[in-house]
Amino acid sequence: MTRTVIRGGLVVTAAEEMHADVLIEGERVVALAAYGTSVAEGWTADREIDARGLYVVPGGVDAHTHMELPFGGTSASDTFETGTRAAAWGGTTTIVDFAVQSVGATLRAGLDAWHAKADGNCAIDYGFHMILADVNEHSLKEMDLLVAEGVSSFKLFMAYPGVFYSDDGQILRAMQRGADNGGLVMMHAENGLAIDVLVEQALAAGHTDPRYHGEVRRELLEAEAVHRAIKLSQVAGSPLYVVHVSAASAVAELAAARDQGLNVFGETCPQYLYLSTDNLAEPGFEGAKYVCSTPLRPKEHQAALWKGLRTNDLQVVSTDHCPFCFVGQKELGRGDFSKIPNGLPGVENRMDLLHQAVVDGHISRRRWIEIACATPARMFGLYPRKGTIAPGADADIVLYDPTATQTLSAQTHHMNVDYSAYEGRQLTGRVRTVLSRGTVVVDDNRWFGRAGHGRFQPRATCQYLI
Ligand code: URP
Ligand code: ZN
Ligand code: ZN
């Protein structure tokens, strides 16, 4: 079994920071010892990695990605191969992607299809959530089987009537089932029926540009849906995880529920922290690059999101990585914003953008690791195998240079998409080396990974309940 020692770095986990050496045997961390002590110096290894001047952090856990998702008349442009490779380049070593139930089909058929897409193609480890698009007697029963095989979270949509939408009765039934079997309900909280009315009215008025996407998907309709989802989860006695929260008033709904001691959780994404309706309003058709749902909000909302991350009213930052090329894909919505495929690329950028938040003073270093690694692992039953550096954990480790600078660009990123949502943005901090289960996959700007190294990770139920 290969022994590796990472020497002299500042190990940062959600819980602590320490100058320590890390001993890895095979795929696992076996010990940490204070740097410079006789214990650490006594370790012999096949490979020594010098981490002086670097942070040694757990590999990122991105709990919200959509590789190869068929959506909006096209498919997300990253495959499991390209998307997981890009994730690794950016310091993320685990993704949890969304398998999709088609209307009229079983959860089993959807999950099998997603296994077939991912199996043998991923560069890093991966798990699945299941999208429930057709809540009925059979799919409710199937939820129990999926939880037992490690697919322990289920996304429901209050948006997208006719596609993924579930009505309140269906949502309540799925939540009741989750309360029984431990499955965590993840909610896309926007009032889709009301939004569709506003879309129709906007188009009838000749408002076809991308910026109208942000206008019709009103903040109030996100807050209303979050409120309703919370009440339904209270009735069901189930926990609730609200995905891609973008509006200040939605954060307020979550905060009020949490103040009551409820098991209600919220996720936001880098695009809501760094981008805004100003991007949606970029001239020409450029705004299409920023069309996602929930939509980008006016800049003023960002302070509430940062505050929510500091106060733990928001617990997780995921990417909702769902890339569509500008040419040929986003362009499907020229002349009709409602036909622009919804989604942004970002799986490669999340760890860096959140490190920039440390540099900018929004969050602490340990909070960076908590919201990007430890809590997503706990929330989705992967901890402590993932999300921390501790004896017994998988050796998913990133050596991070906090002083290196970089400029984000489509010219240099590894995601299979022809634009960057953060083109030209300058960041301080950069990944130097990435280990996935003890194997170096990225080092000094070189790729050593391979498709098929990544393994499916069966997950336990939520480990974050109050
Ligand atoms: O615009 C988005 N978020 N696209 C991906 C699908 C979803 O709702 O998460
Ligand atoms: Zn969604
Ligand atoms: Zn999503």
Side-chain angles (χ1 to χ4, degrees), residues 62-66 96-99 128-132 143 151-158 164 166 171 174-175 178 183-189 229 233 238-244 265-267 316 318 320 376 379-380 459 462:
D62 189 342
H64 190 154
T65 68
H66 300 281
V96 190
D97 202 88
F98 287 82
F128 290 126
H129 314 285
M130 187 83 219
I131 287 178
L132 289 185
M143 284 173 74
V151 177
S152 53
S153 37
F154 301 89
K155 184 174 177 190
L156 288 131
F157 288 76
M158 301 168 112
F164 292 137
S166 293
I171 289 169
M175 286 174 165
L184 179 61
V185 167
M186 308 169 76
M187 189 61 70
H188 181 130
S233 73
S238 71
L240 171 71
Y241 178 95
V242 182
V243 294
H244 47 55
F265 312 111
E267 158 201 283
V316 172
S318 305
D320 194 6
M379 191 68 72
F380 296 107
R459 295 180 292 111
C462 179

